[in-house]
Amino acid sequence: MSTNYQEVIKKFALAHKDVVVFTAENRAVVRELPAILQDRFIDVGITEQNMIGMASGMALRGRIPICHALTNFLLFRAYEFIRNDVGIAHLPVKLSGWIPGFLSDGNGPTHQSLEDVGIMRLIPGMQVFCPSDNEDMCMMLEQIWSSPHPSYLRVNPRPAVVEHKTPFEIGKAETLFEGKDLTILVYGFLLEEVVLAREILEKNGLSVGIVNMRSLEPIDVDLIRSLPSKTKKIVTVEDHFGVGGLYSIISEIMTRHQIMMPIQSISMGNRWFKPGLLSEVLEYEGFTGAKLAERIQKEL
């Protein structure tokens, strides 16, 4: 797919006159839109709380606000406004977070967002989406923005390493490979490393499945409930704290439906990551394909 986030939002905004694009002094993915959208493009500066308040007011009057900022500032600095103004009123404000998780590679803890999925899924009615790459992201954008619900998107412009044959549907996961011995559930760009880990594990004689958990809220409950009949073990991989993210979601579903099966969580546990180049972060924290394969093989 040759398109990108900016092209999709431009097409969508030109086709829907009620769309208003906001940014909090972060135009990395919407750099060309001010000249195109003119008064429907609003840069509030480094005042994320004001942005959410303004977006909520416009949503009350029938607009579709799409808000952009660095994830840590967009969510953490403005969380009260997102919870109270957007969540309680259930307004269709769309949040696009830039450099989430490990993609904030060179930044320290103040600029890392390893709890974003957890805090956003705590807001009733908030939808949460984590595309694995640019192609995956562009497939889902129009559905997300057309939804009547508020949403949070982990923006991910990285190139695809797999072919996405399954059309995107809110609340549905994408099964990329079936595996009898174990199935890896992953979201976001870490799919790149999981694909490499699978190659290593398959060479070691294991049958390994991969599921792209592109929609985390709502999540594909039917697929999760079907896993015990297809695979012996689940492994969750995420650049998130151990609490509140994918591992927590899977554990909650398994408990709710009284399903027993082994689940291995590979996450950041209860700590932030050491800053560096992305390749250095992945190596140091044990998230390269080779390190993931080693961690999974060790637990088997």
Side-chain angles (χ1 to χ4, degrees):
M1 181 179 292
S2 59
T3 192
N4 57 37
Y5 181 94
Q6 181 169 258
E7 288 301 312
V8 177
I9 195 171
K10 180 176 72 173
K11 177 184 175 183
F12 188 77
L14 291 177
H16 299 82
K17 299 301 182 182
D18 50 356
V19 170
V20 180
V21 176
F22 282 89
T23 181
E25 205 176 71
N26 186 270
R27 304 189 181 192
V29 293
V30 290
R31 201 173 301 279
E32 298 174 11
L33 294 187
I36 297 168
L37 300 183
Q38 299 182 17
D39 60 354
R40 288 196 291 139
F41 185 96
I42 302 172
D43 190 336
V44 301
I46 51 174
T47 59
E48 290 81 4
Q49 295 166 326
N50 288 344
M51 178 172 68
I52 300 303
M54 293 167 65
S56 300
M58 288 196 174
L60 280 171
R61 285 153 181 82
R63 305 294 192 270
I64 303 174
I66 307 175
C67 302
H68 304 83
L70 298 183
T71 300
N72 62 308
F73 297 133
L74 175 65
L75 303 189
F76 309 150
R77 182 176 287 172
Y79 189 72
E80 178 188 358
F81 292 74
I82 296 171
R83 176 189 182 273
N84 295 350
D85 296 353
V86 177
I88 293 175
H90 199 77
L91 298 174
V93 175
K94 314 300 180 178
L95 308 173
S96 291
W98 183 245
I99 59 172
F102 288 159
L103 294 182
S104 179
D105 51 359
N107 294 306
T110 60
H111 284 56
Q112 294 174 13
S113 55
L114 297 175
E115 63 268 56
D116 55 338
V117 172
I119 67 169
M120 294 312 287
R121 61 183 287 259
L122 283 174
I123 299 175
M126 178 68 69
Q127 297 184 329
V128 179
F129 305 99
C130 301
S132 61
D133 50 60
N134 178 69
E135 180 181 342
D136 199 25
M137 177 173 64
C138 290
M139 290 171 65
M140 63 177 68
L141 292 177
E142 291 197 25
Q143 287 191 47
I144 293 171
W145 296 334
S146 298
S147 167
H149 306 288
S151 67
Y152 164 58
L153 170 77
R154 269 190 169 197
V155 174
N156 181 7
R158 293 175 66 84
V161 297
V162 296
E163 182 181 356
H164 298 284
K165 298 180 180 179
T166 305
F168 175 76
E169 183 180 347
I170 291 175
K172 294 296 182 181
E174 177 188 30
T175 299
L176 296 169
F177 302 97
E178 299 276 1
K180 294 181 180 179
D181 292 314
L182 64 99
T183 297
I184 305 173
L185 308 184
V186 62
Y187 60 84
F189 88 98
L190 283 175
L191 175 63
E192 300 175 31
E193 302 302 326
V194 166
V195 168
L196 296 175
R198 177 183 179 273
E199 293 176 0
I200 296 170
L201 293 169
E202 290 264 334
K203 288 178 181 178
N204 291 340
L206 293 170
S207 173
V208 181
I210 298 178
V211 180
N212 173 23
M213 303 300 298
R214 47 180 32 165
S215 175
L216 291 182
E217 181 60 48
I219 199 164
D220 198 336
V221 176
D222 291 340
L223 180 140
I224 295 166
R225 293 183 64 185
S226 73
L227 287 176
S229 65
K230 299 177 179 179
T231 193
K232 297 176 183 177
K233 178 180 180 178
I234 292 173
V235 180
T236 60
V237 177
E238 55 189 323
D239 49 343
H240 193 277
F241 289 141
V243 174
L246 181 58
Y247 174 67
S248 291
I249 297 171
I250 301 302
S251 299
E252 290 165 13
I253 292 171
M254 293 300 192
T255 301
R256 187 180 309 127
H257 294 280
Q258 300 183 11
I259 298 171
M260 295 289 292
M261 74 178 300
I263 305 175
Q264 178 184 355
S265 169
I266 298 180
S267 70
M268 281 307 298
N270 62 352
R271 62 185 180 84
W272 285 278
F273 63 83
K274 182 178 179 180
L277 298 175
L278 182 58
S279 58
E280 296 171 337
V281 171
L282 295 174
E283 180 68 28
Y284 183 84
E285 302 294 353
F287 283 82
T288 62
K291 289 289 182 69
L292 289 173
E294 181 181 340
R295 294 170 74 172
I296 293 170
Q297 191 88 52
K298 183 178 180 181
E299 290 294 318
L300 291 174

